[in-house]
Amino acid sequence: MSSIEPTAISRHRTPDLITGYRLEKLVGTGGMGEVHKATQLSLGRTVAVKLLNPELAKDPSFIARFQKEAAALAALSHPHVVSIVDKGNTTTTYYLVMEFVDGPSLRELMRTPPQDSPVLLRRMLEICRAIEYAHGRGVIHRDLKPENILLDQQAGGIAKVSDFGLASFLDDANASSRYALTSTHVSMGTVSYMAPEQRVDAKSADARADIFSLGVILYEMFTGEVPLGTFDLPSRRRPGLDPRVDGIVTRCLKPDPADRYQTVTALITDLEPLVPGSLPSLAPLRLTRMQRFRHAMRRLVGATLRAAAVVVVLAALAVLGVAWLRAGERRPAVAPGAAIMADLGPPSPRTGTGRLETGAEKRKVVLGEGPDAPSVLVAGRPVAFEEKALVFPAVDGQSRVGRARLDVVGLEGDIAELTARVRADAPPPTFSRRARAMLYGPAPEPVAALMLVGSTGRYVALLHNGAGAPLALEWALGERRGTMLGLASPEGEARLELSLDADGVLQAYVGSGKDRRAIAEPLDLGPGWQEQFGGAPTPAFGCVEGTCRAEGLTYAVRRAPPLPVEAPVAVSPPPTRTVAVAVPTKAVVPPKRVATPPPPPKRQPIKQPPPKPPKRR
């Protein structure tokens, strides 16, 4: 709610001036008091508190006018009328607590650059419907002007009519006497927007006075000025405006009330065709005093019956809970894979983003990113595509199992690998889930399944049961059925993998890179393992209970490389004649070796001394 006067001077107010509310800041001032943004402490919501000026709070006529606005708002409940929350008084003043409208007034919007004609016409239609509703409940506003029309930005800029302080009541003698503020031949309102008869005698003005004010507002919205005396038609002041607007404005501004629209419903009938995409409105029924009394009694009786029904239902739930505890009733245990592969009704095709690779040696499908649009057949629970993930949101009701199978063909090969980042989370607690837990016991833990699915209910499923529970490998391949428990599930998201080699050895893994670990013992399906599935299997993702998510789901197959061919061995031609030699059966003992002594060492020849020379005689 914007300030009523942009130059309003904030006055200090203690935050706890009103019990149960905390005043935050002053957002506007007017002739009767101030409007503060406040917080309702019991609900923690933002509200608007309108305080009557303490000096005026001493005047009974202004107190009555303040009470009159509260009574008018209490009689109205419409999306284009500001709703009342509470009223009361303190030792110094009176207050009204109303819905807080976070947005500017129509007056402030008129000071900005002009908006498109369809937007202005739609906003005028919203204002007219609010006044049509008020007239149908016997309330005449009598002070319609741009300052009293607020635009709720949080609700898309819809218009809301406020300030019913000068309103009058039709066909209600008690209200008229209780809030008789207008004396005969007294003018009340804003002169520029008042009908001629209201300027002379506000007490005798009827619903047609509001129609005059609506015509002034409509003219000002398109031209930026109020029509005074002889005025130009709106289409002359605003090029391109539908000329039918001229006729509507002219008829609203007729000096004689008998020449104007007699009801706002008739005005709306002419205005609706000019608003693109508007729905025709139904005229509200005019309620008499007796009809309003009957409606109040019906509401009271209805509230009493609803309260009694709640008591009966709670009692029945308590009886059923005791009976279940005594009988020990439990839900039958069903293997998750079997539950996912059960008859979940006819599948419906969904198209998501992905990539298909159909090479000669390797074929691959990736779900979640890519230029292609692979089809997914969904059965049971609905499925959603969130960026790169396939998600089964939590649901209530009978269908707590979902299956999404990729509808792809041509993925045949001797080696297959299915991977995805999988997560399983319990659903948030709600009243209905708590009630079912009381009646039938705790709901099973959520299970997400990465699967290879064949024909006639044949499958292999790698099950993720949430944090702490063991991962499991479950299979049903004709007569071969079983389950192996493996490692504990990691907390949060887990990368799961199903791998089949050319010899038909199936292995399940968790993690990637250095952290990649086998979950359980390998499952040997043998060569030609496709026959175990009844043909080439297709990848699928399943969910039981809770919320299940698979991101980056990838399935790849390829042909095993052919065995290497050995080179031929060259064989020499056989001899022309072959002699067969009999081999004795008795082993021949080789002769013992006799140690021979080493030869004697050779003697060195003795050297003869040289001959002595003859003696000389």
Side-chain angles (χ1 to χ4, degrees):
M1 181 179 297
S2 63
S3 61
I4 298 176
E5 292 294 339
T7 58
I9 300 175
S10 175
R11 284 186 288 273
H12 177 71
R13 298 289 184 188
T14 56
D16 56 350
L17 176 65
I18 302 174
T19 303
Y21 301 91
R22 183 177 64 250
L23 302 184
E24 304 289 352
K25 68 175 181 178
L26 177 71
V27 295
T29 60
M32 293 184 62
E34 304 169 346
V35 178
H36 290 258
K37 180 181 179 181
T39 300
Q40 187 179 6
L41 301 179
S42 60
L43 297 177
R45 64 173 173 177
T46 303
V47 294
V49 175
K50 186 173 184 179
L51 298 174
L52 183 61
N53 189 308
E55 296 298 326
L56 301 180
K58 303 174 183 179
D59 190 335
S61 63
F62 282 97
I63 296 175
R65 177 177 171 181
F66 209 67
Q67 301 284 8
K68 184 177 186 179
E69 181 175 5
L73 290 174
L76 305 176
S77 178
H78 191 271
H80 297 301
V81 176
V82 175
S83 59
I84 189 170
V85 176
D86 193 8
K87 75 167 186 174
N89 62 283
T90 65
T91 56
T92 58
T93 187
Y94 291 78
Y95 65 86
L96 295 179
V97 182
M98 299 175 293
E99 167 193 8
F100 181 78
V101 181
D102 189 6
S105 68
L106 184 59
R107 172 65 67 200
E108 291 172 300
L109 195 68
M110 287 179 177
R111 294 169 182 162
T112 62
Q115 294 185 316
D116 295 337
S117 298
V119 176
L120 298 177
L121 289 171
R122 182 181 296 277
R123 186 166 291 124
M124 190 66 200
L125 184 60
E126 294 172 350
I127 300 169
C128 290
R129 283 176 174 164
I131 301 305
E132 178 194 35
Y133 173 82
H135 289 180
R137 294 298 181 269
V139 178
I140 302 175
H141 193 285
R142 298 200 304 181
D143 195 18
L144 287 172
K145 55 185 177 181
E147 288 81 357
N148 292 340
I149 298 169
L150 306 177
L151 304 174
D152 192 347
Q153 290 181 333
Q154 301 299 320
I158 66 172
K160 287 181 176 285
V161 180
S162 66
D163 202 345
F164 282 77
L166 296 182
S168 63
F169 295 84
L170 300 173
D171 300 334
D172 194 338
N174 289 340
S176 300
S177 60
R178 190 187 320 162
Y179 305 114
L181 306 180
T182 308
S183 303
T184 305
H185 304 301
V186 173
S187 168
M188 297 190 71
T190 305
V191 176
S192 299
Y193 301 90
M194 289 170 55
E197 68 275 12
Q198 186 178 352
R199 300 175 189 176
V200 176
D201 187 2
K203 187 174 183 179
S204 63
D206 56 16
R208 293 171 294 184
D210 281 350
I211 295 175
F212 185 92
S213 302
L214 291 173
V216 177
I217 295 174
L218 181 59
Y219 185 89
E220 189 178 7
M221 288 172 66
F222 285 109
T223 65
E225 299 178 359
V226 295
L228 298 174
T230 303
F231 54 86
D232 293 331
L233 295 177
S235 62
R236 295 181 181 176
R237 300 286 303 275
R238 188 183 182 98
L241 181 62
D242 194 319
R244 288 178 290 180
V245 177
D246 298 341
I248 295 175
V249 170
T250 302
R251 188 172 177 184
C252 289
L253 298 180
K254 291 290 185 181
D256 190 348
D259 297 333
R260 297 178 205 145
Y261 290 103
Q262 298 302 295
T263 63
V264 183
T265 303
L267 169 59
I268 291 176
T269 302
D270 287 351
L271 189 60
E272 279 178 339
L274 307 181
V275 181
S278 63
L279 298 176
S281 60
L282 299 177
L285 297 177
R286 189 78 168 272
L287 300 180
T288 63
R289 180 182 178 187
M290 182 57 66
Q291 288 175 329
R292 287 196 290 271
F293 175 76
R294 290 175 180 173
H295 278 280
M297 293 302 298
R298 288 173 185 169
R299 288 195 296 269
L300 178 61
V301 173
T304 304
L305 292 177
R306 285 193 295 271
V310 170
V311 174
V312 172
V313 170
L314 292 177
L317 290 176
V319 172
L320 291 175
V322 173
W324 171 78
L325 290 174
R326 292 180 177 179
E329 179 182 358
R330 291 293 186 272
R331 294 178 178 176
V334 180
I340 294 171
M341 292 302 298
D343 184 9
L344 302 179
S348 58
R350 291 286 305 275
T351 301
T353 58
R355 180 181 296 106
L356 298 174
E357 300 177 7
T358 55
E361 298 180 356
K362 183 178 180 181
R363 300 184 179 185
K364 182 178 179 181
V365 57
V366 179
L367 196 64
E369 60 177 345
D372 303 316
S375 177
V376 178
L377 298 178
V378 182
R381 289 169 54 177
V383 73
F385 293 93
E386 297 181 1
E387 295 182 351
K388 300 180 181 180
L390 188 68
V391 181
F392 283 99
V395 296
D396 289 325
Q398 298 297 322
S399 179
R400 298 187 299 274
V401 181
R403 180 179 68 244
R405 181 172 65 86
L406 271 69
D407 186 19
V408 290
V409 295
L411 296 179
E412 299 181 4
D414 302 318
I415 301 173
E417 184 180 275
L418 175 61
T419 61
R421 297 188 299 277
V422 177
R423 185 184 184 98
D425 297 309
T430 61
F431 175 78
S432 61
R433 293 190 181 107
R434 292 192 185 100
R436 283 203 309 271
M438 292 176 59
L439 292 175
Y440 306 110
E445 294 296 327
V447 179
L450 194 63
M451 308 180 72
L452 289 175
V453 177
S455 61
T456 62
R458 297 171 181 253
Y459 67 91
V460 173
L462 180 52
L463 306 175
H464 183 3
N465 297 301
L471 297 166
L473 183 66
E474 179 186 335
W475 67 92
L477 300 171
E479 299 298 328
R480 303 182 61 179
R481 297 173 180 269
T483 302
M484 285 191 293
L485 298 181
L487 302 172
S489 300
E491 184 177 356
E493 186 180 83
R495 183 188 182 276
L496 303 182
E497 175 184 342
L498 282 173
S499 177
L500 268 160
D501 62 15
D503 295 327
V505 178
L506 186 147
Q507 183 68 68
Y509 298 95
V510 60
S512 60
K514 296 182 179 179
D515 298 329
R516 181 171 177 261
R517 294 173 295 165
I519 292 174
E521 294 296 325
L523 180 63
D524 190 359
L525 304 182
W529 53 266
Q530 296 87 347
E531 298 177 0
Q532 300 283 340
F533 289 91
T538 55
F541 181 60
C543 183
V544 181
E545 302 286 347
T547 302
C548 302
R549 177 186 180 91
E551 185 174 350
L553 192 148
T554 303
Y555 183 56
V557 296
R558 65 180 185 272
R559 295 288 184 185
L563 295 175
V565 180
E566 296 182 358
V569 180
V571 180
S572 59
T576 57
R577 185 177 180 181
T578 304
V579 178
V581 180
V583 179
T585 58
K586 187 175 181 180
V588 178
V589 179
K592 295 182 179 180
R593 290 183 179 182
V594 179
T596 57
K602 293 182 179 181
R603 292 181 180 181
Q604 298 293 336
I606 300 175
K607 294 183 178 181
Q608 294 296 329
K612 296 180 180 181
K615 294 181 179 181
R616 295 179 178 180
R617 291 179 180 181

